[in-house]
Amino acid sequence: MTVNAFDSDLAQLQNQLAQAIVTGHESPELMQSLHPCGNFLSATAALNIYKGGYPARLIDSLASTYEAIHKILGDELFFILCRRFISTHPSQSYNLSDYGSQLSIFLESETMLKEKFPFLPELANFEWHFQHTFHLKPDPLISLPEDRLRAVNGLSVLAFTPTLQLFSFTHATYSVWKARHGSDCLPNFRYREFLLMYKVDSHLIKTLLISEPQMQILNRLMQGMTVEQSLVADEGAEDLNEQAITALFSLLISHHLINEIKAG
C-alpha cells in the first residue's frame, strides 16, 4: 500500500469514527476495522466509551460558557437542553471553548422555555460574547492628552478600544446574569437594560450600565458618525439631555475608551 493510499484509508476511518460518535450510528465497515488493544473490550464496548464521552465533554463546555443559564434552569433541565442542542449542532472545532455559539439562536425556537424565561436568548448571546471577550488579547487602554480631548468638536470622529461592545437588552438580562452567583431567586427582569463591555487586561472584563440615550449616542459614534451626527435623537426616542451627554463623555474619558480623535 502506498503512503497516499494509507493516508486516504486512515482519513476515511477517522471520518467514520467521528460520524459514529456524533450521530450514534456506526457503519459495518467501521466496526470491522476497530481492534481494541489488549482484548479487554469488544469493538462495540470500546466505541461506546467514546460515544458517552463526546456529549459529556460538550455539555461540560456549555455549562462553563452558559453559567447563568445553567443556574436558572437547574441541572436536569439544562442537561436536557444541552442534549437537544448537541443532537442538531455537532462541534465543528477541535477547541471545546469554540462550541456553543449558536445556542442563543437555538433558544429562540424553545417556546416553552421562552414563555417562562423570555430573556434566555439574549442572556445566551451575552454569555457567549463575555466568554469570547475573556479569551481575546487585550489592547492597551490609551490615555489621550487633555489638549487632544479638549479639541473635540461637532465634526470630530472618535475611535474606541477594539474590545468595546454594546448590548441593548429587552429585559434586565444583565441583572439576571449578575445574580448567577447569588440566591436562587430570579431578580425582576421586566425592564430594559443597556450595557457596555470591554476588556481591561488578561484577567478583567469591565461592564457598565448606561442609559438608552447614551447607548444611542455611543452606538452612532462607534459606527463612525461625527459627534454632531451622534447627538441627534431618533424620532420618538427619549431626549438626549445635556446631563446624559456629559456623563457619557466623562465615562469614555475616565475609562480610557477613546483610542483616537480624528479632527473635524
Coordinates of all heavy atoms in Angstrom, one line a residue, residues 142-210:
I142 N -5.6 53.5 26.1 CA -4.8 54.7 25.8 C -5.4 55.9 26.6 O -6.6 56.2 26.6 CB -4.8 55.0 24.3 CG1 -4.2 53.8 23.6 CG2 -4.1 56.3 24.0 CD1 -4.3 53.9 22.1
S143 N -4.5 56.6 27.2 CA -4.8 57.9 27.9 C -4.4 59.0 27.0 O -3.2 59.4 26.9 CB -4.1 58.0 29.3 OG -4.5 57.0 30.1
L144 N -5.4 59.6 26.3 CA -5.1 60.7 25.4 C -4.8 62.0 26.2 O -5.4 62.2 27.3 CB -6.3 61.0 24.5 CG -6.7 59.8 23.5 CD1 -7.9 60.2 22.7 CD2 -5.5 59.6 22.5
P145 N -3.9 62.8 25.7 CA -3.6 64.1 26.3 C -4.8 65.0 26.4 O -5.7 64.9 25.6 CB -2.5 64.7 25.4 CG -2.0 63.6 24.6 CD -3.1 62.6 24.4
E146 N -4.8 65.8 27.5 CA -6.0 66.6 27.8 C -6.2 67.6 26.6 O -7.4 67.9 26.3 CB -5.8 67.4 29.1 CG -6.0 66.5 30.3 CD -6.1 67.3 31.6 OE1 -6.3 68.6 31.5 OE2 -5.9 66.8 32.7
D147 N -5.2 68.1 26.0 CA -5.4 69.1 24.9 C -6.1 68.4 23.7 O -6.8 69.1 23.0 CB -4.1 69.7 24.5 CG -3.0 68.7 24.0 OD1 -3.1 67.5 24.5 OD2 -2.2 69.0 23.2
R148 N -5.8 67.1 23.5 CA -6.5 66.4 22.4 C -8.0 66.2 22.7 O -8.8 66.4 21.9 CB -5.9 65.0 22.2 CG -4.4 65.0 21.7 CD -4.4 65.3 20.2 NE -5.4 64.5 19.4 CZ -5.2 63.3 19.0 NH1 -4.0 62.7 19.3 NH2 -6.1 62.7 18.3
L149 N -8.3 65.9 24.0 CA -9.7 65.8 24.4 C -10.4 67.1 24.3 O -11.6 67.1 23.9 CB -9.7 65.2 25.8 CG -9.2 63.7 25.9 CD1 -9.0 63.4 27.4 CD2 -10.0 62.7 25.2
R150 N -9.8 68.2 24.7 CA -10.5 69.5 24.7 C -10.7 69.9 23.2 O -11.6 70.8 23.0 CB -9.6 70.5 25.4 CG -9.6 70.4 26.9 CD -9.1 71.7 27.6 NE -7.7 71.9 27.2 CZ -6.7 71.5 27.9 NH1 -6.9 70.8 29.0 NH2 -5.5 71.8 27.5
A151 N -10.0 69.3 22.3 CA -10.1 69.8 20.9 C -11.3 69.1 20.2 O -11.6 69.4 19.0 CB -8.8 69.4 20.1
V152 N -12.0 68.2 20.9 CA -13.1 67.5 20.3 C -14.2 68.5 20.0 O -14.6 69.4 20.8 CB -13.7 66.4 21.2 CG1 -15.0 65.9 20.7 CG2 -12.7 65.3 21.4
N153 N -14.8 68.5 18.7 CA -15.9 69.3 18.4 C -16.9 68.6 17.6 O -16.8 67.3 17.5 CB -15.4 70.5 17.5 CG -14.6 70.0 16.3 OD1 -15.1 69.2 15.5 ND2 -13.5 70.6 16.0
G154 N -17.9 69.2 17.1 CA -19.0 68.5 16.4 C -18.7 67.7 15.2 O -19.3 66.8 14.9
L155 N -17.5 68.1 14.6 CA -17.1 67.3 13.4 C -16.1 66.2 13.7 O -15.7 65.5 12.8 CB -16.5 68.3 12.4 CG -17.5 69.4 11.9 CD1 -16.7 70.3 10.9 CD2 -18.7 68.8 11.2
S156 N -15.8 66.1 14.9 CA -14.8 65.0 15.3 C -15.4 63.6 15.2 O -16.6 63.4 15.4 CB -14.3 65.2 16.7 OG -13.7 66.5 16.9
V157 N -14.5 62.7 14.8 CA -14.9 61.3 14.7 C -14.0 60.5 15.7 O -12.8 60.7 15.7 CB -14.7 60.7 13.3 CG1 -15.0 59.2 13.3 CG2 -15.7 61.4 12.3
L158 N -14.6 59.7 16.6 CA -13.9 59.1 17.6 C -13.7 57.6 17.3 O -14.6 57.0 16.7 CB -14.6 59.2 19.0 CG -15.1 60.6 19.4 CD1 -15.7 60.5 20.8 CD2 -13.9 61.6 19.4
A159 N -12.5 57.1 17.7 CA -12.2 55.6 17.5 C -12.1 55.1 19.0 O -11.5 55.8 19.8 CB -11.0 55.4 16.7
F160 N -12.5 53.8 19.2 CA -12.5 53.3 20.5 C -11.7 52.0 20.6 O -11.3 51.4 19.6 CB -14.0 53.0 20.9 CG -14.9 54.2 20.9 CD1 -15.6 54.5 19.7 CD2 -15.0 55.0 22.0 CE1 -16.4 55.7 19.7 CE2 -15.8 56.1 22.0 CZ -16.5 56.5 20.8
T161 N -11.4 51.7 21.9 CA -10.7 50.4 22.2 C -11.4 49.3 21.5 O -12.6 49.2 21.5 CB -10.5 50.2 23.7 OG1 -9.7 49.1 23.9 CG2 -11.9 50.0 24.3
P162 N -10.6 48.4 20.8 CA -11.2 47.4 19.9 C -12.2 46.4 20.7 O -13.1 45.8 20.0 CB -10.0 46.6 19.4 CG -8.9 47.6 19.4 CD -9.2 48.4 20.6
T163 N -12.0 46.2 22.0 CA -12.8 45.2 22.7 C -14.1 45.8 23.2 O -15.0 45.1 23.7 CB -12.1 44.6 23.9 OG1 -11.8 45.6 24.8 CG2 -10.8 43.9 23.4
L164 N -14.4 47.1 22.9 CA -15.6 47.7 23.4 C -16.8 47.2 22.6 O -16.8 47.1 21.4 CB -15.5 49.2 23.2 CG -16.8 50.1 23.6 CD1 -17.0 49.9 25.1 CD2 -16.6 51.5 23.2
Q165 N -17.8 46.7 23.4 CA -19.0 46.2 22.8 C -20.3 46.8 23.5 O -20.2 47.1 24.7 CB -19.1 44.7 23.0 CG -17.9 43.9 22.3 CD -17.8 42.5 22.8 OE1 -18.6 41.6 22.5 NE2 -16.7 42.3 23.6
L166 N -21.4 46.8 22.8 CA -22.6 47.4 23.3 C -23.7 46.3 23.3 O -23.8 45.5 22.4 CB -23.1 48.6 22.5 CG -22.1 49.8 22.4 CD1 -22.7 50.9 21.6 CD2 -21.7 50.3 23.8
F167 N -24.6 46.3 24.3 CA -25.7 45.4 24.4 C -26.9 46.1 24.8 O -27.0 46.9 25.8 CB -25.4 44.3 25.5 CG -24.2 43.4 25.2 CD1 -23.0 43.8 25.6 CD2 -24.3 42.3 24.4 CE1 -21.8 43.0 25.3 CE2 -23.2 41.5 24.1 CZ -22.0 41.9 24.6
S168 N -28.0 46.0 23.9 CA -29.3 46.6 24.2 C -30.2 45.4 24.5 O -30.6 44.7 23.7 CB -29.7 47.3 23.0 OG -31.0 47.9 23.2
F169 N -30.6 45.3 25.8 CA -31.4 44.2 26.3 C -32.9 44.6 26.3 O -33.2 45.7 26.9 CB -31.0 43.7 27.6 CG -29.5 43.2 27.7 CD1 -28.6 43.8 28.6 CD2 -29.1 42.2 26.9 CE1 -27.3 43.3 28.6 CE2 -27.8 41.7 26.9 CZ -26.9 42.2 27.8
T170 N -33.8 43.7 25.9 CA -35.2 44.0 26.0 C -35.7 43.6 27.4 O -36.8 43.9 27.8 CB -36.0 43.2 25.0 OG1 -35.7 41.8 25.1 CG2 -35.6 43.7 23.6
H171 N -34.9 42.9 28.2 CA -35.2 42.6 29.6 C -34.0 43.0 30.4 O -32.9 43.4 29.9 CB -35.5 41.1 29.7 CG -36.6 40.6 28.9 ND1 -36.3 40.1 27.6 CD2 -37.9 40.5 29.0 CE1 -37.5 39.7 27.0 NE2 -38.4 40.0 27.9
A172 N -34.1 42.8 31.8 CA -33.0 43.1 32.6 C -32.0 42.0 32.7 O -31.7 41.4 33.7 CB -33.5 43.4 34.0
T173 N -31.5 41.7 31.5 CA -30.7 40.5 31.3 C -29.3 40.6 32.0 O -28.9 39.6 32.6 CB -30.4 40.3 29.8 OG1 -31.7 40.1 29.1 CG2 -29.6 39.0 29.5
Y174 N -28.8 41.7 32.1 CA -27.5 41.9 32.8 C -27.7 41.6 34.3 O -26.9 41.0 34.9 CB -26.9 43.3 32.6 CG -25.7 43.6 33.3 CD1 -24.5 42.9 33.0 CD2 -25.7 44.6 34.3 CE1 -23.3 43.2 33.7 CE2 -24.5 44.8 35.1 CZ -23.4 44.2 34.7 OH -22.2 44.4 35.4
S175 N -28.8 42.1 34.9 CA -29.1 41.9 36.3 C -29.3 40.4 36.6 O -28.8 39.9 37.6 CB -30.3 42.7 36.7 OG -30.1 44.1 36.6
V176 N -29.9 39.7 35.6 CA -30.1 38.3 35.8 C -28.7 37.6 35.8 O -28.4 36.7 36.6 CB -31.0 37.7 34.6 CG1 -31.0 36.2 34.7 CG2 -32.4 38.2 34.8
W177 N -27.9 38.0 34.9 CA -26.5 37.4 34.7 C -25.7 37.7 36.0 O -25.0 36.8 36.5 CB -25.8 38.0 33.5 CG -24.4 37.5 33.3 CD1 -24.0 36.3 32.9 CD2 -23.2 38.2 33.7 NE1 -22.6 36.2 32.9 CE2 -22.1 37.4 33.4 CE3 -23.0 39.5 34.2 CZ2 -20.8 37.8 33.6 CZ3 -21.6 39.9 34.4 CH2 -20.6 39.0 34.1
K178 N -25.8 38.9 36.5 CA -25.0 39.2 37.7 C -25.4 38.4 38.9 O -24.7 38.1 39.8 CB -25.2 40.7 38.1 CG -24.3 41.6 37.2 CD -24.2 43.0 37.8 CE -23.5 43.1 39.1 NZ -23.4 44.5 39.6
A179 N -26.7 38.0 38.9 CA -27.2 37.2 40.1 C -26.9 35.7 40.0 O -27.3 35.0 40.9 CB -28.8 37.4 40.1
R180 N -26.1 35.3 39.1 CA -25.8 33.9 38.9 C -25.1 33.3 40.1 O -25.1 32.0 40.2 CB -25.0 33.7 37.6 CG -23.6 34.2 37.6 CD -23.0 34.3 36.2 NE -21.6 34.7 36.2 CZ -21.2 35.9 36.4 NH1 -22.0 36.9 36.6 NH2 -19.9 36.1 36.4
H181 N -24.3 34.1 40.8 CA -23.6 33.5 42.0 C -24.3 33.8 43.3 O -23.8 33.5 44.4 CB -22.2 34.1 42.1 CG -21.3 33.7 40.9 ND1 -20.3 34.5 40.4 CD2 -21.3 32.6 40.2 CE1 -19.8 33.9 39.4 NE2 -20.3 32.8 39.2
G182 N -25.5 34.4 43.2 CA -26.3 34.7 44.4 C -27.4 33.7 44.7 O -27.2 32.5 44.5
S183 N -28.5 34.1 45.3 CA -29.6 33.2 45.7 C -30.2 32.6 44.4 O -30.0 33.0 43.3 CB -30.6 34.0 46.5 OG -31.3 34.9 45.7
D184 N -31.1 31.7 44.7 CA -31.8 31.0 43.6 C -33.0 31.8 43.2 O -33.7 31.4 42.2 CB -32.3 29.6 44.1 CG -31.1 28.6 44.3 OD1 -30.1 28.9 43.7 OD2 -31.3 27.7 45.1
C185 N -33.3 32.9 43.9 CA -34.4 33.8 43.5 C -34.1 34.6 42.2 O -33.1 35.3 42.2 CB -34.8 34.7 44.6 SG -35.4 33.8 46.1
L186 N -34.9 34.5 41.2 CA -34.7 35.3 40.0 C -35.0 36.7 40.2 O -36.1 37.1 40.7 CB -35.5 34.7 38.9 CG -35.2 35.0 37.4 CD1 -33.8 34.5 37.1 CD2 -36.2 34.4 36.5
P187 N -34.1 37.7 39.9 CA -34.4 39.1 40.1 C -35.5 39.5 39.1 O -35.7 38.9 38.1 CB -33.1 39.8 39.8 CG -32.3 38.8 38.9 CD -32.8 37.5 39.4
N188 N -36.1 40.7 39.4 CA -37.1 41.3 38.4 C -36.4 41.5 37.1 O -35.3 42.2 37.0 CB -37.6 42.6 39.0 CG -38.5 43.3 38.0 OD1 -39.2 42.7 37.2 ND2 -38.5 44.6 38.1
F189 N -36.9 41.0 36.0 CA -36.3 41.1 34.7 C -37.2 41.9 33.7 O -36.8 42.0 32.5 CB -35.9 39.8 34.1 CG -37.0 38.8 34.0 CD1 -37.9 38.9 32.9 CD2 -37.3 37.8 35.0 CE1 -38.9 38.0 32.8 CE2 -38.3 36.9 34.8 CZ -39.1 37.0 33.7
R190 N -38.3 42.4 34.2 CA -39.2 43.0 33.2 C -39.0 44.5 33.0 O -39.9 45.3 33.2 CB -40.7 42.7 33.7 CG -40.9 41.2 33.8 CD -42.4 40.9 34.0 NE -42.5 39.4 34.1 CZ -42.5 38.6 33.1 NH1 -42.4 39.0 31.9 NH2 -42.7 37.3 33.3
Y191 N -37.8 44.9 32.7 CA -37.4 46.2 32.3 C -36.2 46.1 31.4 O -35.5 45.1 31.4 CB -37.2 47.2 33.5 CG -36.1 46.8 34.4 CD1 -34.8 47.3 34.2 CD2 -36.4 45.9 35.5 CE1 -33.8 47.0 35.1 CE2 -35.3 45.6 36.3 CZ -34.1 46.1 36.1 OH -33.1 45.7 37.0
R192 N -35.9 47.1 30.6 CA -34.8 47.1 29.7 C -33.5 47.6 30.3 O -33.5 48.3 31.3 CB -35.1 48.0 28.5 CG -36.4 47.6 27.7 CD -36.4 48.4 26.4 NE -35.3 47.9 25.5 CZ -35.1 48.5 24.3 NH1 -35.8 49.5 23.9 NH2 -34.1 48.0 23.6
E193 N -32.4 47.1 29.8 CA -31.1 47.5 30.3 C -30.2 47.7 29.1 O -30.4 47.1 28.0 CB -30.5 46.4 31.2 CG -31.1 46.4 32.6 CD -30.4 45.4 33.5 OE1 -29.9 44.3 33.0 OE2 -30.3 45.7 34.7
F194 N -29.2 48.6 29.2 CA -28.3 48.9 28.2 C -26.9 48.9 28.8 O -26.6 49.4 29.9 CB -28.6 50.3 27.6 CG -30.0 50.5 27.1 CD1 -31.0 50.9 28.0 CD2 -30.3 50.1 25.8 CE1 -32.3 51.0 27.5 CE2 -31.6 50.2 25.4 CZ -32.6 50.6 26.2
L195 N -26.0 48.2 28.1 CA -24.7 47.9 28.7 C -23.5 48.1 27.8 O -23.7 47.8 26.5 CB -24.7 46.4 29.1 CG -23.5 45.8 29.9 CD1 -23.6 46.3 31.4 CD2 -23.5 44.3 29.8
L196 N -22.4 48.5 28.3 CA -21.1 48.5 27.5 C -20.2 47.5 28.2 O -20.2 47.4 29.4 CB -20.6 49.9 27.3 CG -20.0 50.7 28.5 CD1 -18.6 50.2 28.9 CD2 -20.0 52.2 28.1
M197 N -19.3 46.9 27.4 CA -18.4 45.9 28.0 C -17.1 46.1 27.2 O -17.0 46.3 26.0 CB -18.9 44.5 27.8 CG -18.0 43.4 28.3 SD -18.7 41.7 28.2 CE -18.7 41.4 26.5
Y198 N -16.0 46.0 28.0 CA -14.7 46.0 27.3 C -13.7 45.2 28.2 O -13.9 45.0 29.4 CB -14.2 47.4 27.1 CG -13.9 48.2 28.3 CD1 -12.6 48.3 28.9 CD2 -14.9 48.9 29.0 CE1 -12.3 49.1 30.0 CE2 -14.6 49.6 30.2 CZ -13.3 49.7 30.7 OH -13.1 50.4 31.8
K199 N -12.5 44.8 27.6 CA -11.5 44.1 28.3 C -10.5 45.0 28.8 O -9.9 45.8 28.0 CB -10.9 43.0 27.4 CG -10.0 42.1 28.2 CD -9.8 40.8 27.4 CE -9.0 39.8 28.3 NZ -8.8 38.5 27.6
V200 N -10.2 45.0 30.1 CA -9.2 45.8 30.7 C -7.8 45.2 30.6 O -6.8 45.9 30.1 CB -9.5 46.1 32.2 CG1 -8.4 46.9 32.9 CG2 -10.9 46.7 32.4
D201 N -7.7 43.9 31.0 CA -6.4 43.2 30.9 C -6.7 41.7 30.7 O -7.9 41.4 30.5 CB -5.5 43.5 32.1 CG -6.1 43.2 33.4 OD1 -6.8 42.2 33.5 OD2 -5.9 43.9 34.4
S202 N -5.7 40.9 30.8 CA -5.9 39.5 30.6 C -6.8 38.8 31.6 O -7.3 37.7 31.3 CB -4.6 38.7 30.5 OG -3.9 38.9 31.8
H203 N -7.1 39.4 32.7 CA -7.9 38.8 33.7 C -9.2 39.6 34.1 O -9.9 39.1 35.0 CB -7.1 38.6 35.0 CG -5.8 37.8 34.8 ND1 -5.9 36.4 34.5 CD2 -4.5 38.1 34.9 CE1 -4.6 36.0 34.4 NE2 -3.8 37.0 34.6
L204 N -9.4 40.7 33.4 CA -10.5 41.6 33.9 C -11.3 42.1 32.7 O -10.8 42.6 31.7 CB -10.0 42.7 34.7 CG -11.0 43.7 35.2 CD1 -12.0 43.1 36.1 CD2 -10.3 44.9 35.9
I205 N -12.6 41.9 32.7 CA -13.6 42.5 31.8 C -14.5 43.4 32.6 O -15.0 43.1 33.6 CB -14.5 41.4 31.1 CG1 -13.6 40.5 30.3 CG2 -15.6 42.0 30.3 CD1 -14.4 39.3 29.7
K206 N -14.6 44.6 32.0 CA -15.4 45.7 32.7 C -16.8 45.8 32.0 O -16.9 45.8 30.8 CB -14.7 47.0 32.6 CG -15.3 48.1 33.4 CD -15.0 48.0 34.9 CE -15.5 49.2 35.7 NZ -15.2 49.1 37.1
T207 N -17.8 45.9 32.9 CA -19.2 46.1 32.4 C -19.8 47.3 33.1 O -19.6 47.4 34.3 CB -20.0 44.8 32.6 OG1 -20.0 44.5 34.0 CG2 -19.6 43.6 31.8
L208 N -20.5 48.1 32.3 CA -21.1 49.3 32.8 C -22.5 49.5 32.2 O -22.7 49.5 31.0 CB -20.2 50.5 32.5 CG -18.8 50.6 33.1 CD1 -18.0 51.7 32.4 CD2 -18.9 50.9 34.6
L209 N -23.5 49.7 33.1 CA -24.8 50.0 32.6 C -24.9 51.5 32.2 O -24.3 52.4 32.9 CB -25.9 49.8 33.7 CG -26.2 48.3 34.0 CD1 -27.0 48.2 35.3 CD2 -26.9 47.7 32.8
I210 N -25.5 51.8 31.1 CA -25.7 53.1 30.6 C -27.2 53.3 30.3 O -28.0 52.4 30.3 CB -24.8 53.5 29.4 CG1 -25.1 52.5 28.3 CG2 -23.4 53.4 29.8 CD1 -24.3 52.8 27.0

